[in-house]
Amino acid sequence: LFHSPYPDNYDVIVAGGGPAGIAAAVSAARLGARTALVERYGILGGMLTPGHVQPILGHAEGKTMYDEIVALLQEGHTDVPSIATRNGREVGIDLEEAKHRLLKLCVENGVFVYLQTPVADVIMDGNRITGVVVLTPKGLEELQPAPAEMYASRILTLKPSGRPSFV
């Protein structure tokens, strides 16, 4: 399931494997960025999976990562009703199944996932974060961005529409 070997550097490093981190990492990887997702626990999903916080609440306009993740987690569970409330729709999911599906979503989209890997420190250049120090079974390791000539022309921006793109 995992990639091998992992690269020496990345275009995008996302710290935190909760729903927002998963959405950011998958989106960046789909746009062609070599992306690392660093999660301190052994599973993805944040408070959704190890925290057992559900149902999924909310609503997003248009086709978003929210809609994609909810559809992925509901796959094969058409018998479970989605309830509309003042907070949006309530979506109940199988938490154990979600752990595998979220990891598979990331890996199949080219995200390099680091599980059981807490961020220990950041690498700074003045007031700019230029990398992270993570704790792995091998000890402290640095995750660095790609050399400037490789990524200087690929800056992730958010368009007025809210859709990210590389410029």
Side-chain angles (χ1 to χ4, degrees):
L1 183 63
F2 290 98
H3 306 280
S4 183
Y6 275 41
D8 293 330
N9 51 50
Y10 297 95
D11 299 314
V12 175
I13 300 168
V14 178
I22 292 168
V26 169
S27 296
R30 285 179 178 171
L31 289 169
R34 187 171 40 218
T35 305
L37 176 58
V38 181
E39 170 55 43
R40 69 179 168 169
Y41 297 119
I43 53 177
L44 296 179
M47 290 306 293
L48 175 66
T49 48
H52 295 264
V53 176
Q54 67 165 322
I56 298 174
L57 297 173
H59 173 74
E61 292 299 322
K63 180 139 177 58
T64 65
M65 286 297 299
Y66 168 85
D67 296 313
E68 184 177 343
I69 288 172
V70 167
L72 173 73
L73 299 179
Q74 283 187 309
E75 217 171 83
H77 298 285
T78 53
D79 57 327
V80 178
S82 181
I83 303 165
T85 69
R86 64 183 171 87
N87 296 319
R89 60 184 172 154
E90 291 187 3
V91 180
I93 62 162
D94 180 323
L95 298 175
E96 293 303 315
E97 194 173 69
K99 295 172 188 177
H100 175 73
R101 289 183 179 187
L102 293 171
L103 178 60
K104 187 175 177 190
L105 172 69
C106 290
V107 173
E108 286 180 349
N109 280 282
V111 176
F112 294 89
V113 179
Y114 290 77
L115 297 176
Q116 299 285 29
T117 308
V119 174
D121 203 355
V122 293
I123 302 164
M124 302 289 292
D125 180 11
N127 65 352
R128 205 170 135 252
I129 297 174
T130 59
V132 294
V133 178
V134 296
L135 180 59
T136 72
K138 295 188 271 183
L140 292 174
E141 293 186 32
E142 292 183 2
L143 297 182
Q144 296 282 346
E149 62 273 7
M150 291 176 63
Y151 73 91
S153 64
R154 297 179 55 87
I155 300 170
L156 184 65
T157 62
L158 213 49
K159 292 182 176 182
S161 66
R163 301 193 66 160
S165 67
F166 283 108
V167 294

